[in-house]
PDB file of all heavy atoms in Angstrom:
ATOM      1  N   GLN A  32     -86.215 -13.949  82.921  1.00 95.00           N
ATOM      2  CA  GLN A  32     -86.478 -15.423  82.988  1.00 95.00           C
ATOM      3  C   GLN A  32     -87.866 -15.779  83.317  1.00 95.00           C
ATOM      4  O   GLN A  32     -88.036 -16.991  83.550  1.00 95.00           O
ATOM      5  CB  GLN A  32     -85.432 -16.118  83.785  1.00 95.00           C
ATOM      6  CG  GLN A  32     -84.013 -16.090  83.264  1.00 95.00           C
ATOM      7  CD  GLN A  32     -83.113 -16.992  83.940  1.00 95.00           C
ATOM      8  OE1 GLN A  32     -82.877 -16.665  85.253  1.00 95.00           O
ATOM      9  NE2 GLN A  32     -82.465 -17.946  83.379  1.00 95.00           N
ATOM     10  N   MET A  33     -88.787 -14.921  83.380  1.00 96.00           N
ATOM     11  CA  MET A  33     -90.175 -15.183  83.661  1.00 96.00           C
ATOM     12  C   MET A  33     -90.297 -15.941  84.958  1.00 96.00           C
ATOM     13  O   MET A  33     -91.049 -16.928  85.169  1.00 96.00           O
ATOM     14  CB  MET A  33     -90.772 -16.052  82.520  1.00 96.00           C
ATOM     15  CG  MET A  33     -91.012 -15.284  81.207  1.00 96.00           C
ATOM     16  SD  MET A  33     -89.580 -15.274  80.248  1.00 96.00           S
ATOM     17  CE  MET A  33     -89.775 -16.674  79.310  1.00 96.00           C
ATOM     18  N   GLU A  34     -89.478 -15.569  85.949  1.00 96.00           N
ATOM     19  CA  GLU A  34     -89.691 -16.113  87.207  1.00 96.00           C
ATOM     20  C   GLU A  34     -90.732 -15.420  88.066  1.00 96.00           C
ATOM     21  O   GLU A  34     -91.065 -14.317  87.766  1.00 96.00           O
ATOM     22  CB  GLU A  34     -88.409 -16.075  88.159  1.00 96.00           C
ATOM     23  CG  GLU A  34     -87.234 -16.839  87.456  1.00 96.00           C
ATOM     24  CD  GLU A  34     -85.809 -16.282  87.786  1.00 96.00           C
ATOM     25  OE1 GLU A  34     -85.769 -15.087  87.992  1.00 96.00           O
ATOM     26  OE2 GLU A  34     -84.885 -17.097  87.625  1.00 96.00           O
ATOM     27  N   ASN A  35     -91.317 -16.010  89.056  1.00 97.00           N
ATOM     28  CA  ASN A  35     -92.275 -15.425  89.999  1.00 97.00           C
ATOM     29  C   ASN A  35     -91.263 -14.624  90.937  1.00 97.00           C
ATOM     30  O   ASN A  35     -90.521 -15.226  91.591  1.00 97.00           O
ATOM     31  CB  ASN A  35     -93.000 -16.516  90.731  1.00 97.00           C
ATOM     32  CG  ASN A  35     -93.913 -16.013  91.754  1.00 97.00           C
ATOM     33  OD1 ASN A  35     -93.689 -14.894  92.324  1.00 97.00           O
ATOM     34  ND2 ASN A  35     -94.952 -16.744  92.089  1.00 97.00           N
ATOM     35  N   PRO A  36     -91.585 -13.331  91.075  1.00 97.00           N
ATOM     36  CA  PRO A  36     -90.696 -12.539  91.899  1.00 97.00           C
ATOM     37  C   PRO A  36     -90.936 -12.600  93.351  1.00 97.00           C
ATOM     38  O   PRO A  36     -90.211 -12.186  94.250  1.00 97.00           O
ATOM     39  CB  PRO A  36     -90.946 -11.057  91.487  1.00 97.00           C
ATOM     40  CG  PRO A  36     -92.346 -11.058  91.013  1.00 97.00           C
ATOM     41  CD  PRO A  36     -92.611 -12.497  90.429  1.00 97.00           C
ATOM     42  N   TYR A  37     -92.099 -13.186  93.754  1.00 96.00           N
ATOM     43  CA  TYR A  37     -92.601 -13.277  95.156  1.00 96.00           C
ATOM     44  C   TYR A  37     -92.092 -14.556  95.778  1.00 96.00           C
ATOM     45  O   TYR A  37     -92.248 -15.615  95.238  1.00 96.00           O
ATOM     46  CB  TYR A  37     -94.009 -13.302  95.309  1.00 96.00           C
ATOM     47  CG  TYR A  37     -94.661 -12.070  94.671  1.00 96.00           C
ATOM     48  CD1 TYR A  37     -95.458 -12.097  93.578  1.00 96.00           C
ATOM     49  CD2 TYR A  37     -94.453 -10.834  95.364  1.00 96.00           C
ATOM     50  CE1 TYR A  37     -96.084 -11.021  92.938  1.00 96.00           C
ATOM     51  CE2 TYR A  37     -95.146  -9.693  94.799  1.00 96.00           C
ATOM     52  CZ  TYR A  37     -95.897  -9.754  93.609  1.00 96.00           C
ATOM     53  OH  TYR A  37     -96.452  -8.707  93.120  1.00 96.00           O
ATOM     54  N   GLY A  38     -91.304 -14.447  96.845  1.00 89.00           N
ATOM     55  CA  GLY A  38     -90.860 -15.679  97.444  1.00 89.00           C
ATOM     56  C   GLY A  38     -91.959 -16.199  98.515  1.00 89.00           C
ATOM     57  O   GLY A  38     -93.049 -15.703  98.362  1.00 89.00           O
ATOM     58  N   TRP A  39     -91.433 -17.058  99.503  1.00 92.00           N
ATOM     59  CA  TRP A  39     -92.284 -17.359 100.554  1.00 92.00           C
ATOM     60  C   TRP A  39     -91.859 -16.668 101.844  1.00 92.00           C
ATOM     61  O   TRP A  39     -90.676 -16.350 102.012  1.00 92.00           O
ATOM     62  CB  TRP A  39     -92.218 -18.897 100.757  1.00 92.00           C
ATOM     63  CG  TRP A  39     -92.638 -19.789  99.783  1.00 92.00           C
ATOM     64  CD1 TRP A  39     -93.484 -19.271  98.681  1.00 92.00           C
ATOM     65  CD2 TRP A  39     -92.581 -21.162  99.662  1.00 92.00           C
ATOM     66  NE1 TRP A  39     -93.834 -20.483  97.840  1.00 92.00           N
ATOM     67  CE2 TRP A  39     -93.254 -21.589  98.443  1.00 92.00           C
ATOM     68  CE3 TRP A  39     -92.010 -22.153 100.396  1.00 92.00           C
ATOM     69  CZ2 TRP A  39     -93.388 -22.824  98.043  1.00 92.00           C
ATOM     70  CZ3 TRP A  39     -92.067 -23.502  99.948  1.00 92.00           C
ATOM     71  CH2 TRP A  39     -92.817 -23.880  98.711  1.00 92.00           C
ATOM     72  N   ASP A  40     -92.843 -16.303 102.696  1.00 91.00           N
ATOM     73  CA  ASP A  40     -92.461 -15.739 103.956  1.00 91.00           C
ATOM     74  C   ASP A  40     -91.838 -16.689 104.949  1.00 91.00           C
ATOM     75  O   ASP A  40     -91.940 -17.948 104.684  1.00 91.00           O
ATOM     76  CB  ASP A  40     -93.553 -14.892 104.574  1.00 91.00           C
ATOM     77  CG  ASP A  40     -94.810 -15.808 104.919  1.00 91.00           C
ATOM     78  OD1 ASP A  40     -94.536 -16.944 105.206  1.00 91.00           O
ATOM     79  OD2 ASP A  40     -95.922 -15.252 105.020  1.00 91.00           O
ATOM     80  N   ALA A  41     -91.194 -16.176 105.916  1.00 94.00           N
ATOM     81  CA  ALA A  41     -90.477 -17.068 106.881  1.00 94.00           C
ATOM     82  C   ALA A  41     -91.326 -18.165 107.570  1.00 94.00           C
ATOM     83  O   ALA A  41     -90.893 -19.296 107.763  1.00 94.00           O
ATOM     84  CB  ALA A  41     -89.787 -16.198 107.950  1.00 94.00           C
ATOM     85  N   GLU A  42     -92.533 -17.815 107.840  1.00 94.00           N
ATOM     86  CA  GLU A  42     -93.454 -18.771 108.466  1.00 94.00           C
ATOM     87  C   GLU A  42     -93.780 -19.886 107.546  1.00 94.00           C
ATOM     88  O   GLU A  42     -93.730 -21.160 107.973  1.00 94.00           O
ATOM     89  CB  GLU A  42     -94.800 -17.986 108.827  1.00 94.00           C
ATOM     90  CG  GLU A  42     -95.526 -18.629 110.026  1.00 94.00           C
ATOM     91  CD  GLU A  42     -96.799 -17.676 110.197  1.00 94.00           C
ATOM     92  OE1 GLU A  42     -96.662 -16.417 110.122  1.00 94.00           O
ATOM     93  OE2 GLU A  42     -97.843 -18.301 110.413  1.00 94.00           O
ATOM     94  N   PHE A  43     -94.020 -19.642 106.316  1.00 94.00           N
ATOM     95  CA  PHE A  43     -94.407 -20.706 105.410  1.00 94.00           C
ATOM     96  C   PHE A  43     -93.190 -21.575 105.149  1.00 94.00           C
ATOM     97  O   PHE A  43     -93.247 -22.771 105.067  1.00 94.00           O
ATOM     98  CB  PHE A  43     -94.890 -20.048 104.158  1.00 94.00           C
ATOM     99  CG  PHE A  43     -95.613 -21.003 103.230  1.00 94.00           C
ATOM    100  CD1 PHE A  43     -96.748 -21.661 103.713  1.00 94.00           C
ATOM    101  CD2 PHE A  43     -95.175 -21.304 101.934  1.00 94.00           C
ATOM    102  CE1 PHE A  43     -97.484 -22.592 102.825  1.00 94.00           C
ATOM    103  CE2 PHE A  43     -95.812 -22.226 101.152  1.00 94.00           C
ATOM    104  CZ  PHE A  43     -97.018 -22.830 101.618  1.00 94.00           C
ATOM    105  N   TRP A  44     -91.979 -20.944 105.022  1.00 94.00           N
ATOM    106  CA  TRP A  44     -90.846 -21.700 104.944  1.00 94.00           C
ATOM    107  C   TRP A  44     -90.533 -22.588 106.081  1.00 94.00           C
ATOM    108  O   TRP A  44     -90.185 -23.658 105.894  1.00 94.00           O
ATOM    109  CB  TRP A  44     -89.559 -20.769 104.701  1.00 94.00           C
ATOM    110  CG  TRP A  44     -89.003 -20.622 103.375  1.00 94.00           C
ATOM    111  CD1 TRP A  44     -89.100 -19.475 102.554  1.00 94.00           C
ATOM    112  CD2 TRP A  44     -88.611 -21.756 102.388  1.00 94.00           C
ATOM    113  NE1 TRP A  44     -88.605 -19.847 101.278  1.00 94.00           N
ATOM    114  CE2 TRP A  44     -88.445 -21.154 101.219  1.00 94.00           C
ATOM    115  CE3 TRP A  44     -88.381 -23.071 102.577  1.00 94.00           C
ATOM    116  CZ2 TRP A  44     -87.878 -21.971 100.089  1.00 94.00           C
ATOM    117  CZ3 TRP A  44     -87.947 -23.895 101.537  1.00 94.00           C
ATOM    118  CH2 TRP A  44     -87.715 -23.245 100.377  1.00 94.00           C
ATOM    119  N   ALA A  45     -90.774 -22.068 107.201  1.00 95.00           N
ATOM    120  CA  ALA A  45     -90.597 -22.992 108.483  1.00 95.00           C
ATOM    121  C   ALA A  45     -91.526 -24.194 108.392  1.00 95.00           C
ATOM    122  O   ALA A  45     -91.068 -25.250 108.743  1.00 95.00           O
ATOM    123  CB  ALA A  45     -90.917 -22.033 109.677  1.00 95.00           C
TER     124      ALA A  45
END
Side-chain angles (χ1 to χ4, degrees):
Q32 289 186 301
M33 289 85 87
E34 294 153 337
N35 175 336
Y37 300 110
W39 290 353
D40 63 26
E42 203 180 323
F43 196 60
W44 257 119

